[in-house]
Structures are given as C-alpha cells and as structure tokens.
Amino acid sequence: MASIESLLEGSQTVLLPGKEKDKIQSPPTTSLMSEFPRYNPDKDSDDEAEEPQEFTWRLDPRESLSDFMIEVVIKGKTHGEIYHVHKSVLAIGPKRSTYFARAFFSPPPPEAQQQSAAKLNETRNEWLSCGGIEEIMKDDVDPQSSLIRFQLHQMAADVFPVLLDYMYSNQGQITITTENAVPLYSLAALLEIKPLRRRVRDFWTQDLSMENLCKYYQRAHIFKEKRLIAHAEEYCAQHIFQVHESVVVDILATVDPFFFLRVVTMPTIGEGTTTSLRLSLLIAVYCNIHKAELDSSMFWALTDASHLPKLEIKAARTFLELEDKICGVECRHQMSPLKNRCIAVLAENWDTACFKKPEVEHDKEDIKGVLLPRLFGEPLELFASKAFLNAKKRLDWSERERKSLHKKNALLEKKLKEVTAQLGHLELNKSAIDSTSDLDNVPSGLQGM
C-alpha cells in the first residue's frame, strides 16, 4: 500500500484496496480554488432573484392559474372582451363581490342539478345585463361553470377593467373621474362591492357642480341611479340662481320635466317675491324649450301658484302663449288658474306689457308698438276690463296728482310773490339807511352850504 507521503507527492499511481486495477490520475496542476471558489455571502443568489410579478388579471392566464372567465359584451353585439380572473379574488377579501361569493359558495339550485351537461352549458352562457340596467340572470350562476357573460352599456364596459384593477390591488387603488364615476357605481352595485360603492358615492358627492351636472344627470339616467338623481335635484335647487345663465340654459335644455318639477318645488330653492319672479322666468324658458314634450297636466304643475305665487311680466306673456299651444284650442276660451294670474299681472302692468318703445322717438302712435296678449273670448274680455280699469285708476291718480301739483304750484307762486315783495321792501329800507349814512359823513362846514 502506498504511504502517506506518496499520496501527497502526486507523482505516483495510487492503488486503493480492492481497486488495484483502477488507476487514479494525478491531480491537475491548476488551482482547485479557481474551479471551486469560496462562498461569498455578498453574492447570494437569493438577493439577486428578480422581484415577483404583481398578481393581476392582466397576467397570462396559464401563468396566473386563472380559474374563471368573464366575458363583457357591449349591448347590440354578440361577442366581447374576455377577462381571465380568479374566483378567490372575486369572492374573498375586503374588496370581494358579494354577488360572486354567493354564487361560488352556494350549491346549485335543485333544478340545475338535474339538468344535463348540455343544459348546464347553455345556462352558464346566459346573459347578465348591467348597462341599462336590466338583470336577466341574477343569483343562478352555476358554481361549476368557468364562464359568465355580462351584457353592458358601452360606458360600463369601458370601466370594467378599472373595477378589476381595484379588486386585484393591494390597497384598493382606483382612479375615479367625472366620466367613470356613474358606470363604476352601477357595476359596484350590481356585483355588490360595498366599499367601492361608498368610495364612488363620496366622490360624486364632492365632485358634482352646476357645470358638470348635465354629465352626471345623463349618466344617472342611463344607469337608473335614483340616489344620484335625487342628489343632483337637491344640488340644482340650491345653486340654480348662483351661476351664469348660460350654464342654467344648458341644464334647462337637458333635464326632463319630472326632474325640473322636483327642483322648482323644493323648499331649498328659496321663497319670497324676488325668488318667485326669477323662478317664473326659468320655468317660462324651460316650458318654451320643451313645449313639444309637455302635456297640459305637467305644464300646469310647473306653473302652479303653490311655488310660483308671483309672475314676471315676460313670463306671464310666455305662459299665455304656451298654454294656448300646449293645452289646445279647447282651453283657449276657458279660464284657468294660470290664465287668471297672468291676466292680473298683464292688466296691472298694461303700459309695460302691451306697449313697446316706438322705433322712432317722435312717433307716439306707432301701431307696431302694441303688444296684445294671446287671449280669446272671455279671457280677453277679462283682460280688457281689468286693463281699462287699471288704466282708469292710473289716469285718475294722474289727474289727482296733477291737481295736487297745480295747487302746490299756486301756493308756491303766491309764496314767491310774497317773498319778492318782502325783498323789495328790504331793498328800499337798505337804500334809505345808506342815504342817511352818507349825510352823516359830510363835513360840518359843508352841511350849511
């Protein structure tokens, strides 16, 4: 057997016991440290590992082990976008959907258990509609299915990825805007995601203004969000007199009659003569814009005296013309509460309501300047009698004022004459006094000359 020394020399052939025939080659001359370097903790491979990807529905479904699919189809189309998602994210956690949780954890209904495989496949492809909003399929999702289809309005389909991003995010990050707030709220309501509903509601409560009210109103009607519509009505009633008239006209042209009726009848809109006069002009403008849509009952509701006790002159003229157009010929010769109030306003202000300033200043008899209200039969007679009566009162008052002024003028003239006479006497006395003073100042030697 080889000695220890021979083993260390590296120049002999070494035979191990029982392995005499196997030869062991001498070690290489190169340093073993270059082939097997010492461990360096500063270069730990664990530290050099890449950061793991964020878990999201946007990953490749094979890599993320997606176990469920949501197909979002825009109304009017047959195919849509498919989202590969995960049941655990949809149904578990603080941002979960109660709708999906109930669907995934509940056993299928008895009738579904008895269905054939073909029938189950047909059931899982039923539509859940959210963008109108009409629910065709509610809580009958088959837990064994891997696909559900939603039929959505275009705006709801556009924000569906935003909703999924929220559900997959760690801290519930989401960007809410004026444009996506209502469809997001609608989706959150449909899928029963309560934290998101609260966040969106808090956003549009703070974001709503008279400038963007039309946007919120239109989206709220598309998605039938009654809570938002009620909030918009209250907000509009509080601020309608505080913004530029161009903003108000846009709102009047956009909102429906029932929305506007609730606005003008709210106590928060204010009270008093000034408010009523301004409100009468708004209602007159609204009715004139929507005269083709209004029926007589809505027209009379909008102009009811309970919230409109005082009428502006221009509004009264407009209401008479609109009543004739909206309510029809059958109401033309009949007296209505509105017509009676309009006649009273126009008759009381007959000089302003029935005459306009002549085009030529000196032309006082310009027939084009006569503006008679649109009245017929008994209403016309009533207006004429009241207008003539008020005109007579005005003339009588003017005559009384003329006589009173004539008397005052006569008294003033008499007073003036008395004062003038007194001034004349004072001048004579002053002249006499001045003459006496002059004589007193003559030297004594000259006074006898």
Side-chain angles (χ1 to χ4, degrees):
M1 180 176 289
S3 63
I4 296 296
E5 290 79 2
S6 63
L7 291 175
L8 296 176
E9 290 178 358
S11 58
Q12 301 180 4
T13 300
V14 181
L15 296 178
L16 297 177
K19 300 288 184 177
E20 290 80 2
K21 296 182 181 180
D22 297 333
K23 293 184 178 181
I24 299 179
Q25 301 295 331
S26 60
T29 57
T30 58
S31 174
L32 291 176
M33 292 300 292
S34 62
E35 295 186 15
F36 303 98
R38 181 178 296 177
Y39 169 73
N40 185 355
D42 294 334
K43 296 184 177 181
D44 194 329
S45 60
D46 293 339
D47 296 333
E48 296 175 0
E50 295 182 359
E51 291 292 331
Q53 284 185 307
E54 181 183 359
F55 184 63
T56 172
W57 60 272
R58 299 177 185 272
L59 296 173
D60 186 299
R62 292 168 295 183
E63 296 178 2
S64 68
L65 302 180
S66 170
D67 58 355
F68 197 70
M69 291 180 291
I70 301 175
E71 183 177 7
V72 174
V73 183
I74 298 172
K75 283 188 173 183
K77 297 184 179 181
T78 55
H79 300 285
E81 185 78 16
I82 293 180
Y83 299 93
H84 296 271
V85 293
H86 305 80
K87 289 184 177 181
S88 60
V89 175
L90 298 180
I92 300 174
K95 302 182 293 297
R96 70 183 182 276
S97 161
T98 304
Y99 172 85
F100 281 118
R102 185 168 55 247
F104 294 151
F105 289 108
S106 300
E111 58 272 15
Q113 297 179 13
Q114 300 173 2
Q115 290 177 329
S116 63
K119 187 63 178 177
L120 280 173
N121 187 57
E122 179 183 348
T123 302
R124 72 183 183 183
N125 288 329
E126 289 184 359
W127 297 79
L128 179 61
S129 174
C130 164
I133 299 172
E134 302 169 359
E135 289 195 21
I136 298 176
M137 183 174 66
K138 295 185 179 178
D139 297 330
D140 54 351
V141 179
D142 176 19
Q144 306 304 319
S145 173
S146 61
L147 172 68
I148 187 173
R149 304 177 77 188
F150 294 111
Q151 187 181 38
L152 307 178
H153 187 278
Q154 177 71 63
M155 286 188 288
D158 291 342
V159 302
F160 198 82
V162 179
L163 180 136
L164 290 179
D165 286 338
Y166 165 80
M167 298 185 74
Y168 275 80
S169 63
N170 294 326
Q171 304 297 328
Q173 299 94 334
I174 189 171
T175 301
I176 307 173
T177 65
T178 303
E179 284 68 27
N180 70 17
V182 181
L184 263 179
Y185 184 83
S186 176
L187 286 174
L190 180 72
L191 299 180
E192 301 176 55
I193 309 174
K194 293 183 179 179
L196 182 56
R197 287 181 63 189
R198 287 193 294 267
R199 285 185 61 176
V200 178
R201 185 172 66 246
D202 292 343
F203 172 83
W204 53 247
T205 300
Q206 297 296 324
D207 184 58
L208 182 65
S209 67
M210 293 298 285
E211 286 72 18
N212 63 23
L213 187 141
C214 290
K215 282 186 179 181
Y216 275 109
Y217 167 84
Q218 292 167 339
R219 287 163 171 75
H221 265 269
I222 290 173
F223 293 96
K224 300 178 182 176
E225 293 299 342
K226 296 180 180 179
R227 183 193 294 267
L228 175 54
I229 293 175
H231 179 68
E233 291 168 352
E234 180 71 25
Y235 187 90
C236 186
Q238 293 175 358
H239 299 87
I240 197 166
F241 293 129
Q242 302 173 10
V243 292
H244 192 272
E245 62 179 17
S246 61
V247 177
V248 176
V249 171
D250 288 341
I251 294 174
L252 297 183
T254 302
V255 300
D256 66 88
F258 292 97
F259 181 99
F260 188 63
L261 178 61
R262 288 189 288 269
V263 169
V264 299
T265 54
M266 282 188 176
T268 52
I269 201 168
E271 56 185 11
T273 300
T274 302
T275 299
S276 181
L277 293 174
R278 297 176 68 185
L279 189 59
S280 69
L281 287 173
L282 289 183
I283 296 176
V285 171
Y286 181 86
C287 292
N288 194 42
I289 293 173
H290 298 274
K291 54 181 175 287
E293 310 163 27
L294 299 177
D295 57 18
S296 57
S297 59
M298 177 57 72
F299 175 70
W300 284 327
L302 286 170
T303 57
D304 190 77
S306 60
H307 59 271
L308 206 61
K310 298 292 183 180
L311 303 178
E312 209 274 346
I313 297 173
K314 293 181 179 178
R317 289 189 62 89
T318 303
F319 288 148
L320 286 178
E321 296 175 2
L322 291 173
E323 187 182 58
D324 186 60
K325 295 178 181 178
I326 295 173
C327 302
V329 180
E330 61 275 9
C331 298
R332 180 172 293 178
H333 299 276
Q334 300 175 2
M335 287 298 301
S336 66
L338 173 63
K339 191 174 292 183
N340 200 4
R341 289 156 53 216
C342 292
I343 288 174
V345 171
L346 297 177
E348 183 178 357
N349 302 276
W350 56 271
D351 53 340
T352 305
C354 299
F355 298 95
K356 67 179 182 179
K357 187 176 180 180
E359 297 179 1
V360 182
E361 185 63 28
H362 64 272
D363 189 1
K364 302 298 184 181
E365 297 182 358
D366 182 11
I367 194 172
K368 296 180 181 179
V370 180
L371 300 173
L372 293 177
R374 190 177 180 84
L375 294 169
F376 305 89
E378 181 184 350
L380 179 59
E381 294 176 3
L382 178 62
F383 167 74
S385 61
K386 286 190 174 184
F388 288 142
L389 180 60
N390 287 325
K392 183 178 183 303
K393 290 180 179 178
R394 182 79 59 82
L395 290 173
D396 291 344
W397 177 86
S398 299
E399 181 63 21
R400 289 195 299 271
E401 284 293 306
R402 188 189 67 79
K403 291 180 178 179
S404 176
L405 291 174
H406 180 72
K407 290 181 179 179
K408 291 179 180 179
N409 185 51
L411 291 174
L412 289 174
E413 289 181 352
K414 183 178 179 182
K415 267 297 188 191
L416 181 60
K417 289 179 180 180
E418 292 176 356
V419 171
T420 302
Q422 291 176 0
L423 288 173
H425 291 302
L426 290 174
E427 284 291 332
L428 292 175
N429 293 336
K430 183 175 181 299
S431 299
I433 293 172
D434 291 341
S435 300
T436 305
S437 300
D438 292 340
L439 291 176
D440 292 339
N441 293 329
V442 174
S444 57
L446 297 176
Q447 290 181 358
M449 293 178 63

